[in-house]
Amino acid sequence: QLQLQESGPGLVKPSQTVSLTCAVSGGSVTTKNYYWGWIRQPPGKGLEWMGVIGYSGGTYYSPSLESRISISSDTSKNQITLQLNSVTPEDTGVYYCARGGTAMAPHFYQYHDWGQGTQVTVSS
């Protein structure tokens, strides 16, 4: 059974870089035709798709975040990593990793297997 577990620092200061990890168990990040996305939800707002990495390592990012985001995979650890640079309080929210079967899907509803999420708070 697939399980996704996000982890991260919790609290980050403005202008810093936040790095989040999604540990995958019960499946492999290199399984063909699966794509791994990051989605976030600011407090009181809806879900926002951030970016995706495919089974072969290709990436696609939301245009609104493209200058600040990087998603990578570590096949030896079977995990996905999100880095978001120059964070502001507007980046506060719950961050989810999720798996989908649609190539480079740019919408959160195209992902069917989700982790429980990890809270990121940007504050000085």
Side-chain angles (χ1 to χ4, degrees):
Q1 182 178 355
L2 181 73
Q3 290 189 334
L4 308 177
Q5 182 64 58
E6 305 91 341
S7 61
L11 179 64
V12 186
K13 288 183 167 55
S15 80
Q16 290 186 339
T17 294
V18 62
S19 182
L20 304 179
T21 298
C22 175
V24 179
S25 59
S28 171
V29 300
T30 59
T31 299
K32 194 174 181 181
N33 295 332
Y34 280 121
Y35 302 85
W36 307 85
W38 283 95
I39 297 112
R40 67 181 180 179
Q41 186 167 28
K45 297 185 179 180
L47 293 164
E48 176 190 9
W49 175 81
M50 302 178 69
V52 59
I53 186 167
Y55 60 93
S56 61
T59 55
Y60 177 49
Y61 303 129
S62 168
S64 65
L65 297 170
E66 194 169 19
S67 63
R68 300 195 291 130
I69 190 174
S70 176
I71 298 174
S72 60
S73 62
D74 186 331
T75 57
S76 66
K77 295 180 180 179
N78 206 36
Q79 63 187 28
I80 306 294
T81 298
L82 166 72
Q83 284 195 328
L84 187 64
N85 304 322
S86 303
V87 297
T88 73
E90 285 66 42
D91 294 310
T92 294
V94 179
Y95 285 67
Y96 300 92
C97 67
R99 186 183 75 170
T102 302
M104 300 311 193
H107 305 289
F108 66 86
Y109 52 78
Q110 293 174 296
Y111 295 85
H112 307 297
D113 300 297
W114 291 60
Q116 292 186 334
T118 187
Q119 174 71 41
V120 173
T121 300
V122 182
S123 174
S124 56

